[in-house]
Amino acid sequence: MDLSTFKQSLIPLTDKLLYSSESDYPFEFVDVNNKNQQDFIQTIKALYPADAPSSTMTGSDFFNRTIHNLEMSGDDVMIAVAGRYKKLQSFLASNAQDVSIWRFGKTEVGIYIVIQTHDAGFAVLKTTSIET
């Protein structure tokens, strides 16, 4: 699957999907401006203060934790959202070579889902987590 088709396939999976923390934020595509993955990460790091915390995790850790938290809420709406996250996770597991999560910031945390595709391209989804 080429990068354009890959991105088009992600649109219905992320449309109106929110990341819930102390606030709810949508997922959005980030234009990588033809950068390679390392240059892109450096560009993102530069958007945050030098002393801002940063961390990484695997895509499976991120999705498993998010899905678990949604399912544990016991709320029918949140359980339905967990189902959407499962579909997104399944699509990425089947169609991406690697998925890593980069987090930057302290209170307003930028979350970047960096997706390495099988054709050596990459795509990025961004959301925000509020953590006070």
Side-chain angles (χ1 to χ4, degrees), residues 11-113:
I11 290 172
L13 296 171
T14 59
D15 185 47
K16 298 181 182 154
L17 180 63
L18 300 175
Y19 182 79
S20 293
S21 57
E22 292 179 35
S23 189
D24 295 332
Y25 279 85
F27 286 90
E28 58 188 80
F29 284 97
V30 177
D31 185 359
V32 297
N33 295 322
N34 296 320
K35 293 183 182 211
N36 67 43
Q37 190 170 332
Q38 268 319 104
D39 288 345
F40 173 77
I41 296 299
Q42 292 305 316
T43 300
I44 295 303
K45 280 184 181 180
L47 298 175
Y48 295 87
D51 62 345
S54 66
S55 63
T56 62
M57 66 174 37
T58 66
S60 61
D61 286 345
F62 172 81
F63 284 103
N64 290 340
R65 183 174 66 186
T66 301
I67 291 165
H68 174 77
N69 290 342
L70 289 165
E71 289 177 336
M72 294 305 295
S73 73
D75 181 84
D76 290 341
V77 172
M78 293 301 199
I79 292 170
V81 172
R84 291 194 63 203
Y85 273 93
K86 286 179 183 179
K87 287 179 183 175
L88 176 58
Q89 182 183 31
S90 177
F91 173 81
L92 293 175
S94 297
N95 295 288
Q97 182 176 329
D98 184 56
V99 178
S100 60
I101 312 302
W102 292 78
R103 295 171 44 94
F104 298 99
K106 186 173 182 178
T107 303
E108 187 172 315
V109 180
I111 300 175
Y112 298 84
I113 302 173

